[in-house]
Amino acid sequence: MKARARFLLIGATAMLVAASPALALDTVTCADANGEITFTYVTGPALVQPVLSVEMQLTGDYGLSTDPEHPDHDGEYVSRGFIGDDVEGGDVSWKDGDGNEHLAMSFRIGRVYEARQALVGGVVAVAAGGLWTVTCRSSDLGQ
């Protein structure tokens, strides 16, 4: 009888694991057609703040990162991130010495599907830098 109970417990555990949602991260890499800007962001399953990190590089020397270990990190952080119905985005900010928040960049990315194809793209704005239309690749979509 103990063997049967153990078998039932193992079977029930396997069903619970199979039914639990995947906690996968999605890495999205974007660039404009002229190669002036590239950026990458990572999203995860968190409901409150699903945009976990952002790295951006403009041609030349200007770049930013929300990763404290990255050489372009100067205190930037994801101040707002969201994932909706096939649209996602975020804002990256920094605080000055007085604690006032300033927007460094923002992005809005859409996903469109047709049969087995998907296109990902949108708009990114960099404070005092400009506005770009970008196309993206998503690891979640196998791109």
Side-chain angles (χ1 to χ4, degrees), residues 26 28 41 43 50-51 81-90 107-111 113 120-121 123 138:
D26 184 15
V28 181
Y41 63 97
T43 62
V51 178
F82 67 91
I83 297 177
D85 289 336
D86 296 327
V87 67
E88 56 207 45
F107 59 94
R108 304 297 181 263
I109 305 297
R111 297 172 184 240
Y113 307 92
V120 182
V123 178
S138 164

Side-chain angles (χ1 to χ4, degrees), residues 39-44 46-56 64-68 73-83 88-95 101-108:
F39 74 101
T40 300
Y41 63 97
V42 177
T43 62
L47 296 176
V48 175
Q49 182 55 276
V51 178
L52 305 176
S53 66
V54 177
E55 286 185 15
M56 183 275 302
L64 64 80
S65 176
T66 60
D67 177 3
H73 179 73
D74 288 320
E76 297 92 355
Y77 58 95
V78 178
S79 55
R80 176 170 140 351
F82 67 91
I83 297 177
E88 56 207 45
D91 297 334
V92 176
S93 299
W94 59 278
K95 290 186 180 178
E101 187 175 81
H102 302 275
L103 185 64
M105 72 172 285
S106 62
F107 59 94
R108 304 297 181 263

